[in-house]
Amino acid sequence: AAHLAGEALSRAVAAVDLVVDATDNFIARLAVNRACIAAGKPLVSGAAIGSEGQVTVFDTAAGSPCYRCLYPEGSSDPPLSCSENGVLAPIVGIIGSLQALEAVKYLSGFGEGLAGRMLLVDGRTLDVRQLRLSRNPECPDCKKPADA
């Protein structure tokens, strides 16, 4: 297996219809986010820390926010990584299954996808809730020239 970065990452993203992000760190997520924006590809994002997980679809070509809109670089609370903080294994399976479902829905046109919304899952209580996500008009990654 090889690590994708730079031009290799851009080529790989451009060659597919949709990207499913299963990375576990902020730097990798930002790189995948930028490559998806540049190629106009949707990004199915999932994350899990401890007993909690989240899933969303970033589809900036369709007007939804991007990963960096949600987690700006230099924010006072950078996202945690599961390698540093641990994760309850079944949560990873739940989030991965939800990411697969979002990918199938997007690619097939079935149902309503999570673009512009984030699904949050709490493994302790099995509470599931959704948050609406807004695009940051000042986001340096997805800001449109007309937004400037």
Side-chain angles (χ1 to χ4, degrees):
H3 292 275
L4 288 177
E7 195 57 38
L9 175 59
S10 296
R11 281 192 307 275
V13 168
V16 299
D17 294 325
L18 172 139
V19 174
V20 177
D21 177 20
T23 60
D24 76 340
N25 69 77
F26 189 60
I27 302 301
R29 289 177 187 269
L30 284 174
V32 170
N33 179 65
R34 288 182 189 119
C36 286
I37 293 167
K41 306 294 179 160
L43 171 62
V44 179
S45 177
I49 294 292
S51 62
E52 299 175 346
Q54 62 188 42
V55 178
T56 189
V57 176
F58 298 115
D59 189 3
T60 58
S64 77
C66 78
Y67 181 79
R68 191 164 176 194
C69 287
L70 190 60
Y71 298 109
E73 281 181 293
S75 65
S76 59
D77 295 321
L80 304 172
S81 74
C82 54
S83 64
E84 296 170 337
N85 296 284
V87 63
L88 187 62
I91 291 297
V92 175
I94 291 168
I95 297 305
S97 293
L98 289 170
Q99 283 181 275
L101 177 60
E102 284 302 303
V104 167
K105 285 169 35 181
Y106 183 90
L107 294 171
S108 68
F110 173 75
E112 182 182 350
L114 284 172
R117 298 177 296 140
M118 179 178 285
L119 186 72
L120 304 169
V121 179
D122 183 336
R124 290 176 199 247
T125 61
L126 285 184
D127 284 339
V128 177
R129 61 188 176 112
Q130 287 186 33
L131 301 175
R132 289 234 172 260
L133 303 177
S134 297
R135 196 165 187 170
N136 176 0
E138 299 302 316
C139 178
D141 285 2
C142 72
K143 177 172 57 175
K144 294 179 183 177
D147 294 343

